[in-house]
Amino acid sequence: MAEIDPAGAPEVVFRDGLAEGELRYQRCRACSTAVFQPRVLCTGCGSDDLSWERSSGRGTVYSTTAVRGRGGAHNVALVDLDEGFRMMSRVDDIDPGSVGIGMRVAFTTVEDNGDPVAVFRKGSA
Ligand SMILES: [Zn+2]
């Protein structure tokens, strides 16, 4: 694993993580809130004392929608990660309408126009 260089802008640190296959998030040193999207100030208390951590990538689907477009249907999901933050993503490799609330999912990355993107796949417990 590469060391997390916390000097960059939060969005850059996050994207560097995706390039390493890691799901990075921030945790507030003042109030322990797990912070996501990457940002400068804690969403819980406003502190700027945020540290970077690596998520296990394991989570649970909080909400799910099948979106139909020209390229076919895809899924948009809100996933609650086990570390206590929520992110908008999608669940791949499963029929978009079959993604269920409460389903256990696991983080992975896929290439989208050359950039790594965070997605989830149906996972075990
Ligand atoms: Zn805080």
Side-chain angles (χ1 to χ4, degrees):
M1 276 191 201
E3 279 300 304
I4 297 177
D5 175 7
E11 187 62 23
V12 173
V13 177
F14 176 73
R15 291 196 175 283
D16 285 351
L18 289 185
E20 299 281 341
E22 297 175 358
L23 178 57
R24 296 175 178 176
Y25 68 103
Q26 293 160 294
R27 190 174 293 280
C28 178
R29 290 191 177 97
C31 74
S32 298
T33 295
V35 176
F36 193 86
Q37 300 274 337
R39 65 188 73 228
V40 175
L41 299 178
C42 173
T43 52
C45 73
S47 169
D48 63 358
D49 192 6
L50 304 179
S51 65
W52 282 98
E53 297 187 11
R54 294 180 180 90
S55 171
S56 66
R58 295 174 179 276
T60 303
V61 174
Y62 172 80
S63 73
T64 175
T65 309
V67 179
R68 294 184 195 287
R70 284 189 301 170
H74 70 279
N75 169 266
V76 176
L78 286 174
V79 176
D80 283 339
L81 278 299
D82 288 356
E83 290 83 6
F85 64 98
R86 179 173 294 167
M87 67 183 289
M88 181 174 288
S89 183
R90 67 177 199 247
V91 183
D92 276 0
D93 293 349
I94 182 174
D95 180 78
S98 297
V99 181
I101 291 170
M103 179 181 285
R104 292 292 287 168
V105 290
F107 160 83
T108 188
T109 61
V110 295
E111 291 260 320
D112 186 5
N113 291 323
D115 291 321
V117 175
V119 300
F120 288 84
R121 300 212 161 110
K122 187 176 181 183
S124 53

